[in-house]
Amino acid sequence: MDQTEKLLMGIENILSVASDLVQEVDRLKRVEEECQMLKEKLFLKQLTTSEQDVFALTLDGHSITEMQNILFREESTIKN
């Protein structure tokens, strides 16, 4: 086996390892996204239904006044 063949085999090996690494990085990204979703679900489960409603409306950019009209709650209730 001459040097050219050895070099080609080495390059093929490197490309194979690189492909495996790319697949592993993709897998780890999916795992990270799943972990983040589980954290968010755990956080939301600690809130009451009313608190979850206010939280969702806050994330959507609603003001307290808008939340009062949507949820039919007093300002102090929403703030708490």
Side-chain angles (χ1 to χ4, degrees):
M1 179 180 301
D2 67 0
Q3 276 192 309
T4 302
E5 290 173 331
K6 288 181 184 178
L7 183 59
L8 287 174
M9 286 179 61
I11 290 171
E12 286 175 355
N13 187 40
I14 289 170
L15 290 174
S16 174
V17 170
S19 175
D20 292 345
L21 288 173
V22 167
Q23 290 175 1
E24 183 63 10
V25 167
D26 286 342
R27 187 188 72 77
L28 290 173
K29 284 180 182 177
R30 286 192 305 274
V31 168
E32 183 180 27
E33 290 169 357
E34 289 174 19
C35 287
Q36 184 61 35
M37 286 173 40
L38 289 173
K39 282 184 202 176
E40 291 170 5
K41 285 181 181 179
L42 180 62
F43 168 74
L44 288 176
K45 284 188 180 240
Q46 295 174 1
L47 300 177
T48 66
T49 303
S50 295
E51 290 170 331
Q52 290 177 23
D53 292 341
V54 170
F55 185 72
L57 291 171
T58 301
L59 290 178
D60 287 342
H62 291 281
S63 69
I64 291 176
T65 303
E66 291 171 329
M67 288 185 230
Q68 284 179 268
N69 294 331
I70 294 168
L71 300 173
F72 305 104
R73 301 276 191 259
E74 294 293 323
E75 180 179 349
S76 60
T77 303
I78 292 172
K79 285 183 175 182
N80 284 335

